[in-house]
């Protein structure tokens, strides 16, 4: 938007290890590590006309030299596949930009600070990462993936799609049979269940698969297992997701003494059985009847 001039620059060597990394994996890693370091979940915006994503870390603040020491090499490597720039604000409300440019022979990296005044600066706030992605389907895939990135979880659940099937090769995943693919970040000590990384919207989608087509995905198998082991897990979020799915489907639940009736939008009764039902059915009934009422 503004014409920026080079305020400062330096050249560093391009390490051999970076040449064998996966750009897609490194991109997620750098954004995740930024989220942890800043303790901020990024807000992601898509500009299809410009083939760009803007990942904003509001209320952030960092030292530029420390930033380059930690992320300069990764940024240069990523830029070879996905051009990436780091924008923010410096003193007196001036817009600034950081760029890492890899030489054609992959031997050196040019680290640049750019702003309007052309004066050097040492710190920057309101970090916003711009990523260029030429393929619009890939752009949309990446946009959807980053919607669920949070520093609070060391897992990232993503949809299995043609574009990301072979990507993120540096990541291991929980189980190839789950509906979502759960990428595991290793740079966080606290480990939580991968099921807790699912958003309400993602859980709702799993419930819709069950309500529409009676499909019980592997996530429900893991959830039943954890409930049986009495592992601490937020079942209320699954209940909220179920309520949203039931509302969208027009399904109602009515209670009569100790019995209940589940009725679809056409008034037809739906029947469930805990003993012989699928894992999704078991969780459904567990949510309806979390405890057995005591008899007088």
């Amino acid at each position: 938007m503004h014409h920026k001039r080079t305020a400062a620059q330096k050249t560093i060597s391009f390490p051999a290890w970076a040449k064998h990394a996966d750009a897609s994996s490194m991109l997620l890693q750098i954004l995740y590590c930024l989220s942890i370091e800043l303790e901020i979940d990024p807000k992601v915006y898509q500009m299809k006309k410009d083939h760009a994503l803007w990942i904003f870390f509001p209320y952030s603040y960092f030292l530029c030299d420390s930033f380059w020491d930690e992320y300069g090499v990764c940024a240069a490597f990523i830029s070879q596949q996905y051009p990436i720039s780091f924008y923010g604000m410096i003193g007196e409300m001036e817009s600034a930009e950081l760029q890492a440019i890899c030489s054609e022979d992959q031997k050196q990296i040019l680290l640049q600070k750019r702003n309007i005044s052309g004066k050097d600066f040492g710190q920057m706030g309101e970090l916003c990462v711009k990523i260029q992605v030429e393929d619009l389907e890939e752009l949309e895939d990446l946009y959807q993936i980053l919607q669920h990135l949070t520093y609070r979880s060391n897992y990232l659940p993503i949809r299995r799609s043609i574009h990301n099937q072979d990507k993120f090769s540096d990541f291991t995943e929980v189980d190839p049979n789950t509906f979502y693919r759960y990428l595991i970040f290793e740079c966080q000590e606290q480990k939580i269940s991968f099921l807790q990384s699912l958003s309400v919207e993602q859980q709702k989608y799993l419930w819709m698969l069950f309500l529409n087509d009676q499909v019980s995905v592997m996530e429900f198998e893991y959830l039943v297992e954890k409930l049986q082991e009495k592992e601490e897990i937020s079942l209320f979020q699954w209940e909220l997701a179920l309520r949203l799915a039931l509302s969208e489907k027009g399904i109602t639940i009515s209670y009569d003494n100790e019995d209940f009736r589940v009725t679809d939008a056409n008034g037809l009764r739906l029947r469930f059985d805990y003993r012989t039902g699928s894992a999704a059915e078991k969780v459904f009934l567990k949510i309806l009847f979390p405890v057995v009422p005591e008899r007088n």
Side-chain angles (χ1 to χ4, degrees):
M1 185 177 294
H2 302 288
H3 177 70
K4 293 183 173 63
R5 296 187 291 171
T6 300
Q9 64 182 28
K10 67 176 181 178
T11 302
I12 62 174
S13 298
F14 194 91
W17 63 263
K19 299 176 184 180
H20 306 290
D22 175 72
S24 300
S25 299
M26 192 176 289
L27 175 59
L28 293 189
Q29 287 281 6
I30 194 174
L31 293 174
Y32 177 71
C33 290
L34 279 170
S35 183
I36 286 182
E37 186 173 336
L38 299 170
E39 294 187 340
I40 298 171
D41 287 340
K43 299 181 182 297
V44 187
Y45 304 95
Q46 181 178 196
M47 298 185 186
K48 289 186 177 180
K49 183 179 178 181
D50 299 327
H51 294 257
L53 293 179
W54 290 81
I55 299 96
F56 181 42
F57 295 86
Y59 311 110
S60 57
Y61 176 85
F62 59 92
L63 300 176
C64 298
D65 288 341
S66 297
F67 182 88
W68 278 144
D69 289 343
E70 192 163 356
Y71 301 110
V73 172
C74 295
F77 179 79
I78 292 167
S79 285
Q80 295 177 102
Q81 184 170 337
Y82 307 103
I84 185 171
S85 299
F86 304 89
Y87 292 86
M89 299 299 293
I90 57 176
E92 300 184 6
M93 304 301 292
E94 184 180 2
S95 175
E97 177 186 2
L98 304 178
Q99 274 193 330
I101 305 167
C102 185
S103 63
E104 292 185 5
D105 59 6
Q106 288 193 332
K107 291 183 178 180
Q108 290 185 320
I109 297 171
L110 178 65
L111 303 176
Q112 284 191 331
K113 297 178 183 178
R114 304 177 72 241
N115 59 10
I116 301 169
S117 66
K119 295 179 181 179
D120 195 7
F121 53 94
Q123 50 202 22
M124 194 161 77
E126 301 294 308
L127 174 64
C128 194
V129 184
K130 180 186 178 184
I131 303 168
Q132 295 285 150
V133 183
E134 287 307 310
D135 187 285
L136 286 178
E137 287 187 48
E138 187 178 9
L139 180 75
E140 177 65 25
D141 264 356
L142 188 56
Y143 172 71
Q144 294 299 331
I145 287 170
L146 293 176
Q147 294 294 319
H148 305 286
L149 183 70
T150 172
Y151 73 91
R152 295 176 177 86
S153 173
N154 52 304
Y155 297 95
L156 178 60
I158 68 174
R159 289 289 298 272
R160 299 185 186 275
S161 69
I162 295 175
H163 278 91
N164 67 42
Q165 183 175 354
D166 298 322
K167 285 186 177 181
F168 316 118
S169 58
D170 290 346
F171 285 97
T172 55
E173 62 171 312
V174 172
D175 185 335
N177 298 309
T178 53
F179 180 81
Y180 292 105
R181 180 181 174 190
Y182 299 85
L183 307 181
I184 305 174
F185 293 105
E186 299 295 344
C187 53
Q188 183 172 323
E189 292 182 3
Q190 183 182 2
K191 304 296 181 184
I192 63 172
S193 168
F194 70 91
L195 292 174
Q196 291 178 255
S197 68
L198 288 169
S199 67
V200 172
E201 291 77 15
Q202 288 172 319
Q203 291 174 344
K204 175 194 167 187
Y205 191 87
L206 299 184
W207 280 122
M208 293 297 288
L209 291 174
F210 171 63
L211 296 173
N212 285 331
D213 304 306
Q214 290 74 54
V215 173
S216 179
V217 298
M218 183 61 69
E219 279 83 345
F220 286 114
E221 299 282 349
Y222 279 104
L223 185 54
V224 168
E225 180 182 313
K226 292 185 180 301
L227 291 173
Q228 290 174 343
E229 295 174 354
K230 300 187 182 304
E231 184 173 326
E232 185 175 340
I233 192 166
S234 176
L235 193 60
F236 181 77
Q237 184 170 310
W238 286 92
E239 179 179 344
L240 176 59
L242 175 58
R243 287 177 182 271
L244 293 171
L246 292 173
S247 176
E248 185 171 318
K249 288 284 295 177
I251 295 174
T252 58
I253 300 173
S254 57
Y255 294 89
D256 181 18
N257 295 325
E258 294 180 10
D259 194 15
F260 71 98
R261 179 183 293 268
V262 182
T263 308
D264 68 13
N266 298 316
L268 298 176
R269 183 172 184 178
L270 306 176
R271 298 185 180 276
F272 301 90
D273 185 280
Y274 188 90
R275 186 173 60 86
T276 61
S278 65
E281 200 167 338
K282 287 179 169 63
V283 178
F284 181 88
L285 294 171
K286 176 64 177 175
I287 289 175
L288 291 182
F289 297 101
V291 295
V292 178
E294 294 182 2
R295 296 176 180 272
N296 294 326

